[in-house]
Each structure stands twice: as C-alpha cells, then as structure tokens.
Amino acid sequence: MVNDAGQLYTMEGVAAGVIMLLTVYIVISTTSIYTPGDTHIPDMQLEQLGSDVLAMMDTPDTNGTKSALETFVNADDDAGFESMFLSYCNAKASGAADDLHMSANVTYRDGNLIKEHQFLAPDNTWTGRESAVRVTRWVQLDSQPGRTTYAGARAQAVLVEVLLWRA
C-alpha cells in the first residue's frame, strides 16, 4: 500500500543532505584561506638581504682601516658601490645571478638644513610599480675641509639609503 506518510521522511532526508553538503563546502572553503600576510615574505627576505649587505660593506677589513661603505661614500664612488653591493647580493652557491636593481641616496646635514644627495640613480628598469624595499645604514664620515657636499669641515654621520627591487 502506498500512502503519504513516507513523504515526510523523504523531505527530511533531502534537507539533511543539503545541510551536510553545505557544511562540507564551508569547511573546505575556510581551510584554504589565502592570508595577505604571506605576500610580504619575499619583500622581508629582500630587505634582510640588503641590510646584511650594507652591514658587510660597513665592516672594515682590518683593525684601524675604513670600511668599504665609508670609502665609497667619502669618494662619491657610485660605480664601485653598485658593483660591490650587487656582487654581495648575488653571491649564491649555484652561481646564477639574481635580477636585482638598486638606487641609493645619502642624507646629510648642512648647517641647519637636512639635504639629500642622489648617490646612485635608478636604472631604466624602474617604473615605480615594482615591489621595492628600502634599507638604510648610518655611516660616520671624517671631516674633509673643502668638500662641498656631506662631511665637509666637520665629522658627521650620514644616512645611506638603498632602494632595492627585482625586475
């Protein structure tokens, strides 16, 4: 015999099935959330690399000598600075070079004014849309009478600021 008493069990079964499928969908979709914090890990690694390279360049080879960073800033040698900085950045065990680019500024005090000197101009790959990081290092310069830019008649600390990006 067929009657309508079984119809209620069928509707409950369909509703329970829909609820179970919806629950499975919600659980699966929430476990694979893409966290925005993960996007900055390569930038943090690049920033640490640049900071380590500046620290290496600011370490004198022997006791009583000047560091390479101080020598490059004193002599305003942007080509030597770029060459050494990128060679330290690209030092890998595999030998394959990384595609790193950079620019650098030196910020210094001139009397009561804070001035900035473009130490190394960005190359033609810089568009402004790259994910660049900024690394800085204070450098103590000795007095150099007759010098027109940073240092000059008195010893002072200048800020070397490097903008580093992958192209």
Side-chain angles (χ1 to χ4, degrees):
M1 289 200 187
V2 178
N3 60 12
D4 58 346
Q7 187 176 11
L8 185 60
Y9 294 119
T10 305
M11 287 176 30
E12 286 177 354
V14 169
V18 168
I19 290 172
M20 287 190 291
L21 288 174
L22 185 62
T23 303
V24 167
Y25 172 75
I26 290 172
V27 167
I28 289 175
S29 67
T30 57
T31 57
S32 62
I33 293 176
Y34 180 72
T35 57
D38 292 344
T39 60
H40 300 293
I41 291 174
D43 292 342
M44 291 188 304
Q45 290 172 337
L46 186 60
E47 184 176 1
Q48 186 63 48
L49 173 69
S51 181
D52 289 347
V53 168
L54 281 179
M56 283 175 47
M57 290 177 68
D58 198 25
T59 305
D61 291 334
T62 58
N63 193 13
T65 62
K66 293 185 179 187
S67 68
L69 184 60
E70 183 179 351
T71 304
F72 290 137
V73 172
N74 263 335
D76 205 20
D77 182 10
D78 58 342
F81 174 75
E82 180 182 26
S83 174
M84 180 178 274
F85 189 90
L86 290 179
S87 70
Y88 282 169
C89 281
N90 289 325
K92 291 184 173 183
S94 65
D98 202 353
D99 193 21
L100 293 177
H101 300 274
M102 62 180 287
S103 68
N105 292 327
V106 176
T107 305
Y108 62 99
R109 184 175 171 189
D110 185 13
N112 290 332
L113 300 173
I114 303 296
K115 294 185 177 179
E116 190 173 37
H117 169 68
Q118 187 170 21
F119 188 55
L120 180 65
D123 56 13
N124 57 1
T125 63
W126 176 252
T127 64
R129 293 186 299 270
E130 290 85 1
S131 181
V133 296
R134 185 176 311 272
V135 292
T136 60
R137 184 83 176 182
W138 286 98
V139 179
Q140 181 69 33
L141 299 180
D142 295 331
S143 64
Q144 295 179 350
R147 188 175 180 111
T148 56
T149 58
Y150 41 87
R154 63 181 177 85
Q156 70 170 317
V158 298
L159 181 66
V160 176
E161 186 177 44
V162 177
L163 195 63
L164 192 60
W165 69 92
R166 283 189 170 92

